[in-house]
Every structure is written in structure tokens, then in C-alpha cells.
Amino acid sequence: MAVAQDHATREGRSSSPFWTIARRDSLAGFLFIAPQLIGIVVFVLIPLGLVFWYSLHEWNVLANTFTYTGAQNYRMLVEDTNLLEVLGATGIFSAGLVVFNLSLALLLAVLLNQKLAGITIFRTLFFSPVVVSLVAWTIVWGFLLQKNGGINGMLQVFGIEGPNWLREETTAMISVIVVQVFKNVGLNMILFLAALQGVPNELYEAARIDGAPRFKQFRRITLPLISPTILLTSIITIVGSLQVFAQIAVLTQGGPGLSTTVLVYYLYQQAFQFHFFGYGSTLSILLFVIVAVLTFAQWQMRKRIVFYES
């Protein structure tokens, strides 16, 4: 009797369908995310692994040699006398870009959030530089910032003799930061504008009834409620500032001296101008570590700066 029951149980198990509803749903989910996963593997994970592999070698393209050097490139990284100045320029550029970009974007968003006639035109004007070609935008600003360019021409109208903006150490970095801020401030402005329009008006009405001034309303209501957007824009802006290359290459070529040589441009010089591909790969690893650490630190701070996080 027990043998018959065991046989029946086995037949019941064997007759159960393999493609259950749960398995079909799982397969459909994997198929939907497969293109993204393949893209991450092909364009992120494999290149990252190859960069690390190249950093352990010295690749001489002209002599067609690929020699294993171990940690030599990393020792060069520690002993590089220019690296501290490059990291300093990178830090100044990133800090200046983040502060000016986010501050100006938030100010513009607050101003453009008013219900006034024709405000849509101004929103379009401020956002239009975002869709302009980066190289074209940079070339135009390069002409404007020359010694005899349009900026100094405007200053001469007021009797002011402007400097050679891109060839003096005191003004080159400021010029590059301003060009980059004007190029991308519209994107953060739109994100802040969308966040501001999501703040309930009832909260402002209650604050006005209690007699709270506008600045206090902004500090106690607006900033906490748009804090998720502030976190998002800060991460995007910081990561973007560490990847800037075209503006430096077109405007200053890293000069004068190393005053505007950010890490990405220094990486390009070492790998593609001086043909130190192994050391260039090592600098790429350094850049990846810096971006990862900053992004992780910002993400960990979300519990303090994002309103709805516990």
C-alpha cells in the first residue's frame, strides 16, 4: 500500500508542468532587463576589467610591444610630481562648478516658477544651451574670451581693459567654470522647477497664515521637500564635473601651466599624446575610485539631507 502511494506521489510530481506561471513571469522579467544587463557587461564591466589589466602593463603602440610591469604604473602614480597639482585643479573645477551650477539653477527655477505671462519663453531660453552642440558652444566662447574678443570689447565700452581670460592663471579656471555652468545650468534648472511645482500650495498658505516670512518658508518648506532633487542634481553635477574634457581641450589645453589640467585631460595627455597607455589606464582607475567614493559618500548622506528618508 505504501509503495503504491509513493508511486502515485512520484507520478504527480513528474506530471506537474515545468513552465509554471511564476517561472514564465521570471523569464519575461529577465528578457525585459536583458538588453540593459548586456549593455552594462559589454560597455562597463568588460572595459573596466580591461583598463585594470592594461594598468598592469606598458603598451608601446609604435614598437608593438605589450609588457607586463606589475605595480610599476601604480608606483609612478604615487611618485608623479604633477599629480597633486592636477588633483588640485580638478577639485577647484568640480567645487566651483557644483556651487555655481546648483545655486544658479535653483535661483532660476524659483524665479521661473512664478505664474507670469511669457514665462515659458524665458524657460526655453535658459534651457536652450543644453541642447546646443558642446564643441560649437565651447568654440564660440573661446572667441568671446580672447584678448580682443567680445567680452573685452563690452568691457572697453565702460573703460575697463579686460585680461586675456584663457591665458592667465587667475582667470583661466574661472572662465572654464563659467562656460560650463552656462552650458548645463538649464538641465538642473528644469529638474528644480519640476520639484518646485510638486510642493503643495497648502503648506505655503498655512505658513503665511502663521506669519512666516518668505525666506523662512523657503528654508523650512521648499528646501526639505525638494531635497531628493537636490541630491540627484548634486550627484549628476559632481560626476559630470569629473568627466569634463572637451571644454578644457578646446579652451585652454590644460594651460597656462597645469592650472586647468583636470584629471581627465591629464589622462588623455599621458595615454594619447605621450603614448603611456599603461599609466593612462592607471589614471583611469584613480578616476573611477574618486567617482565611486564621492557617489557613495553622497548616497550615505541622503539620510541627513533628504527629507523623507528615515
Side-chain angles (χ1 to χ4, degrees):
M1 184 71 177
V3 174
Q5 290 179 349
D6 183 64
H7 181 70
T9 303
R10 291 180 179 179
E11 286 185 349
R13 289 178 180 175
S14 61
S15 62
S16 61
F18 177 79
W19 288 110
T20 61
I21 296 177
R23 286 176 176 173
R24 287 199 299 268
D25 290 343
S26 299
L27 178 61
F30 280 116
L31 290 177
F32 275 114
I33 65 174
Q36 179 72 11
L37 292 177
I38 293 173
I40 291 175
V41 171
V42 174
F43 298 107
V44 178
L45 297 182
I46 292 178
L48 186 61
L50 289 175
V51 166
F52 177 73
W53 177 249
Y54 293 152
S55 70
L56 302 176
H57 296 75
E58 188 50 56
W59 185 5
N60 191 325
V61 178
L62 300 178
N64 195 24
T65 59
F66 190 71
T67 307
Y68 177 77
T69 58
Q72 180 178 344
N73 288 319
Y74 291 92
R75 287 193 293 268
M76 289 176 58
L77 188 70
V78 176
E79 298 170 357
D80 192 345
T81 57
N82 294 328
L83 186 59
L84 285 179
E85 190 171 354
V86 170
L87 292 177
T90 305
I92 293 173
F93 177 81
S94 298
L97 182 63
V98 170
V99 171
F100 288 115
N101 191 313
L102 296 185
S103 301
L104 182 58
L106 184 56
L107 176 62
L108 291 174
V110 171
L111 294 176
L112 296 178
N113 194 36
Q114 310 302 316
K115 296 180 180 180
L116 301 174
I119 201 70
T120 305
I121 298 176
F122 289 98
R123 294 176 185 174
T124 304
L125 289 176
F126 285 119
F127 183 76
S128 58
V130 177
V131 298
V132 174
S133 169
L134 175 61
V135 176
W137 174 269
T138 308
I139 290 175
V140 170
W141 272 98
F143 284 113
L144 292 175
L145 293 169
Q146 288 179 357
K147 178 65 176 177
N148 55 350
I151 301 297
N152 286 343
M154 293 178 59
L155 293 177
Q156 286 179 355
V157 175
F158 301 97
I160 301 174
E161 183 177 356
N164 193 347
W165 296 94
L166 299 176
R167 294 297 177 262
E168 297 182 10
E169 290 189 4
T170 56
T171 57
M173 179 61 77
I174 297 175
S175 301
V176 174
I177 291 174
V178 169
V179 171
Q180 182 67 9
V181 166
F182 286 166
K183 176 69 174 68
N184 291 327
V185 70
L187 178 60
N188 287 339
M189 179 199 71
I190 291 297
L191 295 175
F192 282 134
L193 186 59
L196 289 172
Q197 291 178 349
V199 178
N201 290 325
E202 294 81 3
L203 298 178
Y204 294 115
E205 293 175 0
R208 284 193 292 269
I209 293 173
D210 291 339
R214 284 184 175 272
F215 179 75
K216 195 170 185 179
Q217 294 178 31
F218 181 78
R219 185 166 59 90
R220 295 296 182 88
I221 298 175
T222 306
L223 286 181
L225 291 181
I226 68 171
S227 56
T229 305
I230 295 176
L231 175 65
L232 171 65
T233 53
S234 63
I235 292 176
I236 293 174
T237 307
I238 289 176
V239 173
S241 69
L242 293 172
Q243 298 176 346
V244 166
F245 169 77
Q247 297 87 328
I248 303 296
V250 174
L251 291 175
T252 64
Q253 294 80 48
L258 295 174
S259 60
T260 60
T261 302
V262 295
L263 187 55
V264 173
Y265 190 76
Y266 188 61
L267 184 161
Y268 161 78
Q269 286 180 318
Q270 295 296 321
F272 298 102
Q273 288 186 349
F274 307 144
H275 301 292
F276 297 145
F277 290 102
Y279 187 55
S281 299
T282 308
L283 292 171
S284 298
I285 296 295
L286 175 62
L287 177 62
F288 172 78
V289 171
I290 292 174
V291 172
V293 169
L294 290 177
T295 304
F296 178 77
Q298 287 181 287
W299 185 249
Q300 290 299 111
M301 290 174 59
R302 74 191 188 280
K303 294 182 180 180
R304 295 183 179 181
I305 65 175
V306 177
F307 175 71
Y308 57 75
E309 290 282 353
S310 58

